[in-house]
Amino acid sequence: MTYPDWLNQPETPFLLIDEVRYKNNIERLYKHVENLGSYVRPHLKTLRSPEAARCLLKHSHSPATVSTLAEAEHFANIGYTDILYAVGISPHKLDRVANLIRQGITMHILLDTLEQAKAVREYAINHNVTFSSFIEVDCDGHRGGIPPESDELVDIAIMLQGKGTILTGLLAHAGESYHCHHIDELHKAAKAECDAIRRASERIRAHGISCSILSVEATPTALYSQELENINEVRAGVFSTFDLVMKNVGVCSLDDIAISVVTSVIGYNRKKNWIFIDAGWMALSRDRGTASQQEDFGYGLVCNMDNQPLHKIYVSHANQEHGIITLPPNSDFTLDDFPIGTRLRILPNHACATAAMHKNYQVLLEDGQQQIWSRITGW
Amino acid sequence: MTYPDWLNQPETPFLLIDEVRYKNNIERLYKHVENLGSYVRPHLKTLRSPEAARCLLKHSHSPATVSTLAEAEHFANIGYTDILYAVGISPHKLDRVANLIRQGITMHILLDTLEQAKAVREYAINHNVTFSSFIEVDCDGHRGGIPPESDELVDIAIMLQGKGTILTGLLAHAGESYHCHHIDELHKAAKAECDAIRRASERIRAHGISCSILSVEATPTALYSQELENINEVRAGVFSTFDLVMKNVGVCSLDDIAISVVTSVIGYNRKKNWIFIDAGWMALSRDRGTASQQEDFGYGLVCNMDNQPLHKIYVSHANQEHGIITLPPNSDFTLDDFPIGTRLRILPNHACATAAMHKNYQVLLEDGQQQIWSRITGW
């Protein structure tokens, strides 16, 4: 046994962060992006934790990305001043954004319709506030944004020139890169994302409109970009912990995964070669992101407490508070290798989804000591 | 517009409980079970809410079922005194159970291995406490428990006769009934569950051991049981809110579903006929329980704010904070019917999983007023 004894103490299930791996992952991406002359605006949505953010944001003015206004408000309250809310704005939410701006926070909002731009402008004029906006550009048809060649892009940019609004940047998200399997594909996806946003920037510039920030995002493209010319910032989130989905995409190894769920054995079904654990989908999440990938890890890959993966042993089923590990017929292990109470670590499919099931995280620090990090909840 | 105006106020996304439907659902099951001469020990895991529990537990001594010790402790603190922790016990958790017993709570634990029975007995003797136990009986091979005919059943029952332990009951969970589609199948599953547990009871009685409670569970079998002879109690959870999975099983209609997520439109992908909403899997959960059922509802069925389902319009994709509604090619609706900011209600696949994503719930009371119910979090 090489893991520290305190890992046997917290009640299971609990989420565990490995600080060494977490910091190494952060250093890897930051170095890569900085070597290419750009800057990381980390997405804080994966762990949504003030303590975790300290490793990602060196200064109070370091740029940050969030996925909810609850995060924006919390990070603003503890001193961070440059925050991008990277989900399309609903006019109902402008009150809270305006409050943050009045507190002195550099808040950026995101939009991709003329309708939103009009609503933002109207609100700004009526409430005597100025909103900094990013326009979302579609680079791969994955989700939202408008194509770089669309007329609407220019119309929105023009709309944002008026009183009450500033066009700060253009933003893309290469979500399709999660479906890549080879380095060549990752290189291509990264280039396509940068090209789309540079093209969008040229088009609005041709109409005499400039914006100061071109922003790209997605962990796979961030790690496999070969050039970031004119790209001011790179957003990425899951790179800090990685997970089994990212392992299948090919951007990390199992040894890089900094997140696991610690669980206890609570029973068996001997006929089916099943081991029951106290981590069901309440602890692991319902995410089955690896189901359509090259290796389907079920609800997670089983490791011993030293974090050594047990070959081909997965959490095959998940009920609310029960997980089921199925031992394959030709396994090196039998049920007797897993007495009641045995602790195991489960590597998750999708770090963001698994972390979302926990209100705080146990952290194994570099020196082997224990720390607890909290999670910001709600919207 | 017939819904009360306050539903336009809370920030989206939020979870909404319809109190009229919730209370009607409870009354339906309670009447059915009481007419058959048995009693409901409701499973509180669906909403995990003290306010929601008030509708389920008429008295402080009403029997309750929980899925975590966090729930047991919370419900004990607010005065409930008869609590079954219905997940196989891990010896590590006996300290917390013992604390509750010392507070005067009638706490019941669950086990299905001789190993657990030994550990419980040893702890009881060493710590001068007496544990009330249920043995889990397998009625359909769905999850845990031991077959009624197994030798281990008798061995465990004998082990629990000693000092420090009381065998209070036998418990079964007809989890396979979630795969039923017809009333005949539901009737059969309900009978099989009761028969398995009565048979188990006979077998231990033949060894001179009696227990006072025979306990069965699962919403489908609870609602479609035709007799409950000698069955003292029925546990069930999701019956109180229902959901799309239960609709597909055939035990409720869409009009019975008492839970929805209220969301706002935040954008479009016009090429793909997509509407973006601010309810992603953080608000809806990753549960895809209807994927393998007769109607696959994606991540949820879209309704207007009056709770009228929009025919064949589903949340087709979910990212962390983005949901995507795809309008079918032949739909009565176009994107223009859903302006930015439009509020919609999404019926969820699986109530337990969706409720788990929210720290509190908005409640539409019988008189149209607003209330907020809280959720117990953690383990």
Side-chain angles (χ1 to χ4, degrees):
Chain A
M1 187 179 96
T2 61
Y3 63 90
D5 188 55
W6 70 260
L7 279 173
N8 293 318
Q9 294 313 312
E11 285 272 334
T12 54
F14 64 88
L15 190 138
L16 181 66
I17 301 291
D18 181 318
E19 193 196 27
V20 173
R21 293 182 180 193
Y22 182 69
K23 286 188 169 172
N24 285 344
N25 294 338
I26 292 171
E27 200 187 340
R28 175 179 160 205
L29 180 73
Y30 279 48
K31 268 198 178 164
H32 175 73
V33 169
E34 286 165 20
N35 284 341
L36 295 176
S38 191
Y39 203 82
V40 179
R41 180 191 282 277
H43 209 315
L44 304 180
K45 78 183 174 78
T46 301
L47 296 182
R48 290 179 63 151
S49 162
E51 298 89 349
R54 264 189 242 135
C55 306
L56 291 157
L57 302 172
K58 287 175 193 162
H59 311 287
S60 61
H61 62 269
S62 295
T65 313
V66 298
S67 64
T68 60
L69 290 178
E71 289 160 81
E73 288 160 351
H74 194 105
F75 287 117
N77 280 341
I78 59 174
Y80 295 110
T81 59
D82 184 352
I83 301 173
L84 165 65
Y85 169 47
V87 175
I89 192 74
S90 169
H92 199 266
K93 295 181 173 129
L94 289 172
D95 280 341
R96 288 167 73 189
V97 176
N99 282 341
L100 287 166
I101 293 170
R102 290 195 192 98
Q103 284 170 41
I105 306 302
T106 304
M107 270 299 297
H108 311 287
I109 58 175
L110 180 65
L111 49 82
D112 61 1
T113 64
L114 201 55
E115 214 173 337
Q116 284 166 307
K118 276 181 194 160
V120 168
R121 190 172 167 179
E122 198 172 302
Y123 183 104
I125 291 167
N126 290 341
H127 294 79
N128 198 27
V129 64
T130 300
F131 290 106
S132 160
S133 298
F134 280 66
I135 302 175
E136 186 165 1
V137 174
D138 181 11
C139 63
D140 59 5
H142 176 73
R143 191 168 66 195
I146 38 183
E149 304 297 341
S150 74
D151 292 338
E152 204 179 0
L153 172 69
V154 177
D155 295 342
I156 296 172
I158 291 169
M159 172 69 73
L160 293 174
Q161 296 308 297
K163 184 171 179 278
T165 52
I166 298 167
L167 173 58
T168 300
L170 300 177
L171 173 159
H173 166 55
E176 285 298 301
S177 66
Y178 296 121
H179 304 308
C180 293
H181 301 294
H182 302 292
I183 286 184
D184 285 355
E185 292 173 336
L186 290 164
H187 286 159
K188 263 187 215 167
K191 186 170 183 324
E193 186 182 23
C194 293
D195 285 348
I197 206 154
R198 287 186 288 233
R199 175 67 187 135
S201 166
E202 275 166 27
R203 283 200 64 234
I204 63 165
R205 209 170 335 117
H207 287 79
I209 301 169
S210 67
C211 64
S212 55
I213 300 178
L214 300 189
S215 178
V216 294
E217 175 206 2
T219 284
T221 52
L223 286 162
Y224 284 86
S225 48
Q226 294 175 295
E227 54 86 13
L228 289 168
E229 219 180 305
N230 294 327
I231 302 297
N232 308 84
E233 61 179 39
V234 172
R235 304 165 343 272
V238 79
F239 75 91
S240 61
T241 59
F242 286 124
D243 52 29
L244 294 170
V245 165
M246 287 295 124
K247 158 73 173 76
N248 272 333
V249 173
V251 300
C252 72
S253 73
L254 289 177
D255 292 341
D256 295 323
I257 299 176
I259 181 171
S260 61
V261 171
V262 178
T263 183
S264 298
V265 171
I266 58 169
Y268 318 96
N269 182 321
R270 295 191 178 276
K271 213 165 143 189
K272 296 191 172 177
N273 233 11
W274 281 354
I275 299 161
F276 295 106
I277 54 175
D278 65 1
W281 54 252
M282 275 297 298
L284 297 170
S285 95
R286 265 293 195 203
D287 199 285
R288 288 282 292 109
T290 60
S292 55
Q293 292 187 310
Q294 58 179 358
E295 184 166 3
D296 181 353
F297 290 98
Y299 283 93
L301 176 62
V302 180
C303 302
N304 64 20
M305 285 301 286
D306 286 318
N307 226 1
Q308 289 163 330
L310 308 186
H311 185 62
K312 298 276 180 203
I313 298 187
Y314 312 133
V315 180
S316 52
H317 309 70
N319 293 159
Q320 187 155 352
E321 299 290 354
H322 298 78
I324 302 179
I325 296 168
T326 304
L327 293 186
N330 53 354
S331 175
D332 294 342
F333 296 96
T334 68
L335 298 184
D336 295 333
D337 293 314
F338 302 89
I340 294 284
T342 301
R343 288 189 174 212
L344 298 166
R345 288 169 72 165
I346 313 296
L347 301 183
N349 285 324
H350 184 180
C352 306
T354 300
M357 308 309 288
H358 298 261
K359 59 183 174 179
N360 52 45
Y361 317 129
Q362 299 283 341
V363 183
L364 173 57
L365 298 177
E366 285 182 280
D367 62 4
Q369 298 296 302
Q370 176 183 19
Q371 204 170 73
I372 294 176
W373 291 356
S374 59
R375 181 180 172 88
I376 302 161
T377 56
W379 289 269
Chain B
M1 187 177 95
T2 61
Y3 63 92
D5 188 55
W6 70 259
L7 278 174
N8 293 318
Q9 293 314 311
E11 285 273 333
T12 53
F14 64 88
L15 191 139
L16 182 65
I17 300 291
D18 181 318
E19 192 196 28
V20 173
R21 293 182 180 192
Y22 181 69
K23 286 188 170 173
N24 285 345
N25 294 337
I26 293 171
E27 200 186 341
R28 174 180 161 204
L29 180 73
Y30 278 49
K31 268 197 178 164
H32 175 73
V33 169
E34 285 164 21
N35 284 342
L36 295 177
S38 190
Y39 202 83
V40 180
R41 180 192 282 277
H43 208 315
L44 304 179
K45 77 183 174 78
T46 301
L47 296 182
R48 290 179 64 149
S49 161
E51 298 88 350
R54 264 187 243 136
C55 307
L56 291 157
L57 303 172
K58 287 176 193 160
H59 311 287
S60 62
H61 62 268
S62 295
T65 312
V66 299
S67 65
T68 59
L69 289 178
E71 289 160 81
E73 288 161 351
H74 194 105
F75 288 116
N77 280 342
I78 60 174
Y80 295 110
T81 58
D82 183 351
I83 301 172
L84 166 63
Y85 169 47
V87 176
I89 192 73
S90 168
H92 199 266
K93 296 183 171 127
L94 289 172
D95 280 341
R96 288 168 71 189
V97 176
N99 281 342
L100 287 165
I101 294 170
R102 290 193 191 100
Q103 284 170 41
I105 307 302
T106 304
M107 270 299 298
H108 311 286
I109 58 175
L110 181 65
L111 48 82
D112 60 1
T113 64
L114 201 54
E115 213 173 338
Q116 284 166 307
K118 276 182 194 159
V120 168
R121 189 172 168 181
E122 197 172 302
Y123 183 103
I125 291 167
N126 290 340
H127 295 79
N128 199 24
V129 63
T130 300
F131 291 106
S132 160
S133 298
F134 280 67
I135 302 175
E136 185 165 1
V137 173
D138 180 12
C139 62
D140 60 4
H142 176 74
R143 191 168 66 196
I146 38 183
E149 304 297 341
S150 73
D151 292 339
E152 204 179 0
L153 171 71
V154 177
D155 294 342
I156 296 171
I158 291 169
M159 172 68 73
L160 293 174
Q161 296 309 297
K163 184 170 179 278
T165 53
I166 297 166
L167 173 58
T168 300
L170 302 177
L171 174 160
H173 166 55
E176 286 298 302
S177 66
Y178 297 120
H179 304 309
C180 292
H181 302 294
H182 302 291
I183 286 183
D184 285 356
E185 291 173 337
L186 290 163
H187 287 160
K188 263 188 215 167
K191 186 170 184 322
E193 186 182 22
C194 293
D195 285 349
I197 205 153
R198 286 185 288 233
R199 174 68 187 133
S201 165
E202 275 166 27
R203 284 200 63 234
I204 64 167
R205 209 172 332 115
H207 287 78
I209 301 169
S210 67
C211 63
S212 54
I213 301 179
L214 300 189
S215 178
V216 294
E217 176 206 4
T219 283
T221 52
L223 286 162
Y224 284 87
S225 48
Q226 294 175 295
E227 53 87 13
L228 289 168
E229 219 179 305
N230 294 328
I231 302 296
N232 308 83
E233 62 179 41
V234 172
R235 303 166 344 272
V238 80
F239 74 91
S240 61
T241 60
F242 286 124
D243 53 28
L244 295 171
V245 165
M246 286 297 124
K247 157 73 171 77
N248 272 333
V249 173
V251 301
C252 72
S253 73
L254 289 178
D255 293 341
D256 296 323
I257 299 177
I259 181 171
S260 61
V261 171
V262 179
T263 182
S264 298
V265 171
I266 58 169
Y268 318 96
N269 181 320
R270 295 191 178 276
K271 213 165 144 188
K272 296 190 172 176
N273 234 10
W274 280 354
I275 300 160
F276 295 105
I277 54 175
D278 65 1
W281 54 251
M282 275 297 299
L284 298 170
S285 95
R286 266 293 196 204
D287 199 285
R288 288 281 293 109
T290 61
S292 55
Q293 291 187 311
Q294 58 179 359
E295 184 167 3
D296 180 353
F297 289 99
Y299 283 92
L301 176 62
V302 180
C303 301
N304 64 20
M305 285 302 286
D306 285 320
N307 227 0
Q308 289 163 330
L310 308 186
H311 184 62
K312 298 277 181 203
I313 298 188
Y314 312 132
V315 180
S316 52
H317 309 71
N319 293 159
Q320 188 155 353
E321 299 290 354
H322 298 78
I324 302 179
I325 296 168
T326 303
L327 292 187
N330 53 355
S331 175
D332 294 342
F333 296 96
T334 69
L335 298 184
D336 295 332
D337 294 314
F338 301 89
I340 293 284
T342 301
R343 289 190 173 212
L344 297 166
R345 288 170 72 164
I346 312 297
L347 302 182
N349 285 323
H350 184 180
C352 307
T354 300
M357 307 310 286
H358 297 262
K359 58 183 176 180
N360 52 47
Y361 317 129
Q362 299 283 341
V363 183
L364 173 57
L365 298 177
E366 284 181 280
D367 61 4
Q369 298 295 301
Q370 176 184 18
Q371 203 170 72
I372 293 175
W373 290 356
S374 59
R375 180 180 173 87
I376 302 161
T377 56
W379 288 270

